[in-house]
Amino acid sequence: MSTLRRGLSSSVAVAAWRAKPVRIAIHMPRLAVPFGASPSLAQALYRVPGGLMGRQSFHVLGAAAPAVAPAAASTATLPDAIVTKAHGFTLHRTQFVKEYGSHVLLYKHDKTGAELISVLNNDENKTFGAVFRTPVDDSTGIPHILEHSVLCGSRKYPIKKPFVELMKSSMNTFLNATTYPDRTCYPVASTNTQDFYNLVDVYLDAVFHPRCVSDRRVFEQEGWHFELDNKEELLNYKGVVFNEMKGVYSSPDKRHHRIVQQALFPDNTYRHDSGGDPEVIPDLTFEQFQQFHAKYYHPSNARFWFYGDDDPVKRLALLDSYLEEFERRDVNSSVETQKLMHTPRSVTEYYAAGDGEEGEQKAYVSVSWVLSDTVLDVETELGLGFLNYLMLGTPAAPLRKALNDSRLGAAVIVGGVDDDLKQPFITLGLKGVDPADSDKVEVLITSKLEELAASGFSASAIEAAVNTIEFLLRENNTKSEPRGLSLMHRAVRSWIYDRDPFTQMQWEDALSSFKSKLASGQDVLGPLIRSFLLNNHHRVTVRLLPDPKLAANTAKEKVQLEVAKGAMTDEQLNAVIENTSALKELQETPDTPEALACIPALQLSDIPQSITKVPTSSKALTDGATLLSHDLFTNDVLYLEAAFDLRPVPDRLLPMVPLFCRSLTQMGTASESFVELTERIGRKTGGISIYPFTSAVRGKEQPVAYIMVRGKAMGSKSADMLDLMHDILLTARLDDRQRFTQMVAETKAFMESGIISSGNLFAAARLAAQRDLGAALAETMAGLSYLEFIRSLAKKVENDDGWQEVKSDLKAIRLALLQRNGVIINMTADAATLSTVDHRVSDFLAALPAASAPTANAPQSWSNALLLPRTNEALCVPTQVNYVAKAANLFQDAGYELNGSAYVVEKYLSSTWLWDRVRIVGGAYSTFCSLDSHSGMFTYVSYRDPNLLDTLEAYDDSANYLRSLELSKDELTKAIIGTMGSIDAYQLPDDKGYSALTQHLLGVTDEERQLQRDQILGTSIKDFKAFADAIEYVRGAAGRVVAVTSLDKAKSVLDKKPDFWKVNKVL
Ligand SMILES: [Zn+2]
């Protein structure tokens, strides 16, 4: 599978637990940062693909809720404004799609044949997308490099990085670009209409008239080039994508996915890696790159998408202004179908592992099938989605449970049905397997499938699956992804293969037909298992084995580079040296203010001056409990959180808390088994999750720390949800040793892959834990300290005495935690629903023990002894890239007082100085800095970075950069507007309610938010200089460095700077 896939766009067919595949995109969303606005490292880490939370959630999407959904068009009658012929377009088809409350119009551009889907509804979060079919013949990564490069300047926007300018200065709610194995997508979104059109214009100009096809330097910068400063030095490869893919190739999870995809599709484009194999990327020439753009980035090979409440005719005009200068032509870009084969095959490969501990079981073993080589009808797709959910969707699902219970491996591979490509495929397997057991895994999978085909699923499991899938379809909660974008991915999945794009949006009839078949007792799932899996011989077994000798895998590249250098004449070497310095000079020369003015921007007057307030009513309940209610339209869904103070839990038990949280839902209760409890959650709710939440509080010495119990259900089932929470909290069994042992192994595997693929989170968390008590609590429950704890716990649960201790620790946590005093309940729903829940909340609280109970612990204060020692540290793992973090605490070290302007400066610094030095010149995939407004931690991080010391130097020079900065009024305005875009990020109602809760917990008032907003809007160049003085302290004695890197590189730093850091071999 490719590393190139969107995770959220899962169709109805795959309404289930599945891989959240890595997407290759031009930048990493800032969401993935553990510090700053995200108070809980645990949450940030659990958001990592395949994370604990991610694993429990599933991504059905997209459907709109019933007719009253906020996005719904007010009527099913086509609006008068619709024209059948205008601006070079002809309307070919219209359809009112009730699932999304939208009119969907399919246009064709007369001159070029370009297709456009124009979706009309009341959603203010307007979305645009341009999609090109871009199949590949090799693994040089052309489409991926092109995806990066077209956003580096174009005909109308002749500057170096319009993309970054847009990040910096627009109000976008989404801005990125993504490469798939067979297509490239350019989506943007905004709630501000003018901003939306600005974004669309820049994107259209970028894809059709990019500078990169005439300017080799862009290709060299984003793709690859030789770097050489003088003849004596070693030759080097540099390039943003080159380095990004080195990071991807360092992750065994991703390597496994790639091998599976390549083995399943030996005959079509999917056998290659469109993201680029670092060993092959340097084979790519500029001429091939130019030809690829000329061939595929043409209107005749394009599909466009508009969605939202903007003027539908203006869309046509805007698009036509770009398309009209092209002539129609035949573009052969179709994706061949992989014919199903008749003999199963197996593949054995190796990945770079650390030398690890004795007897460590680390193989990946999986079985995968391509499900079909013909087009499936919607109902069959839907059936496969149900099947996928029933087999794997929850930890209690039979196939997933069988894999876990077998103890053949540490964790189930996050897989399931993947339907983003032309043909759907499925992957089932385990990682952390003893290589000697790999045949057993395959036998287990097939025998479990046979058993399920013969005996089927229980009626209660089916009922739970139906409820869960339907709930999520109707809730249409696309999280931070705009709903329009999620719908686009759904349509494109058919459209891109010349199939009917409308079928993917219309699932209601298929759903009810499928449901009635299930209800009638007809065996619909057994035949699916037999025909698509058991009797399908297009099956591949993949074994991926650890090889410590491959670690870092730099030897091959070194040889390659030596050979290349040896073959160069003196003249050629000089040319490389010249090119290196010319490129650097170009990269370091900023665009002039006049040039930058080409990027359209809003005015400050377009920005609302006041903060958006979430309606909140607060009520004191008995025993110091609080009820917060938010009257928001949620389409009959009730979102409810209960926050329990963690302070009564003794320090020594903290690292056990995350597993305690999982145990609550994964061991059964007094009256039901784990499977029964899971099914009840599925039947009655849209999901319940439990996790720790911690954060510093500005101006206070003590942080806050809570356990969050979060659930959602239809308003009519609120009593059932509260009953469930009650049973889970008070009667969860907490004594299932087998399940606990599995969770420990799973967590260990998850954390170990996390530190390789998201080293930035671990490095930043480690730094924060030296200075911020809230972060120290988080690090204990989610960072490297937690991994160390988990490793010892894995040994402890193996012996009976150890397990007895663990059991009593779990019970001690519950006893300490569960008291009604001070509990905060947070509810989000419309007023009518809220009023029906009020008294149930009181009953729920009354059933909890009071703090005056003889067993209760008094709340403690968190002790500074929990802080990590202040030191520089290298966390060493097998990897080809680095994650470099440096931080200090501006409140404590610099005496800095928070001012809203800090948000403007940090965003500006991230997208100018740091982006230029660390990404453009340095070749790292990403970098930024961020101030945590609660703790005062100011942290720089880099992501998939080839450098260490150079990056630190760039960080250290930040203050000087700010001091010497001259900022035109226009640029300052853009920086302010861009900051407002992040502050006013678009939120669905559950997010609004949750944000209000966190503000309450952290004591953030509306007055304070308004003050900060005023400060942001009033930011001046003086604020930039003042901030420079504050971050000077990061360079000075207060600054500390933590990097995730390889052992070799960590040691090479010591050669240059003895005692620079403590080398800590993690893997
Ligand atoms: Zn990329």
Side-chain angles (χ1 to χ4, degrees), residues 555-674:
K556 213 167 176 178
E557 181 185 315
K558 227 170 146 186
V559 173
Q560 210 178 9
L561 283 162
E562 271 164 19
V563 170
K565 193 179 174 194
M568 286 184 193
T569 62
D570 244 25
E571 211 172 305
Q572 285 168 324
L573 282 175
N574 284 333
V576 172
I577 293 169
E578 249 168 62
N579 192 52
T580 302
S581 82
L583 188 58
K584 264 188 195 152
E585 196 186 316
L586 191 81
Q587 289 168 337
E588 287 170 4
T589 316
D591 288 311
T592 62
E594 295 75 44
L596 288 173
C598 69
I599 293 289
L602 300 176
Q603 300 297 312
L604 273 187
S605 54
D606 296 325
I607 310 296
Q609 302 291 304
S610 308
I611 55 164
T612 322
K613 291 185 191 169
V614 177
T616 300
S617 83
S618 170
K619 191 160 104 186
L621 305 174
T622 48
D623 293 322
T626 308
L627 174 63
L628 302 173
S629 314
H630 315 287
D631 175 4
L632 290 169
F633 178 80
T634 58
N635 216 8
D636 293 334
V637 177
L638 168 73
Y639 299 96
L640 186 145
E641 288 89 24
F644 290 86
D645 196 342
L646 200 53
R647 278 179 304 171
V649 175
D651 293 355
R652 90 173 169 87
L653 292 178
L654 276 182
M656 193 69 97
V657 165
L659 282 166
F660 164 78
C661 292
R662 287 184 72 194
S663 300
L664 288 173
T665 54
Q666 297 197 20
M667 291 187 182
T669 60
S671 58
E672 61 204 328
S673 69
F674 163 42

Side-chain angles (χ1 to χ4, degrees), residues 741-774:
T741 309
Q742 287 163 10
M743 291 193 296
V744 172
E746 219 170 78
T747 306
K748 179 167 167 283
F750 158 65
M751 298 289 293
E752 287 175 349
S753 31
I755 197 163
I756 293 177
S757 58
S758 310
N760 53 314
L761 299 178
F762 285 81
R766 201 80 180 151
L767 282 168
Q770 298 181 10
R771 305 304 308 284
D772 160 13
L773 202 45

Side-chain angles (χ1 to χ4, degrees), residues 350-356 362 545-553 878 1065:
Y350 297 86
Y351 72 93
D355 32 18
K362 281 199 167 168
L545 308 174
D547 182 356
K549 288 191 292 292
L550 278 177
N553 195 23
K1065 188 163 172 297

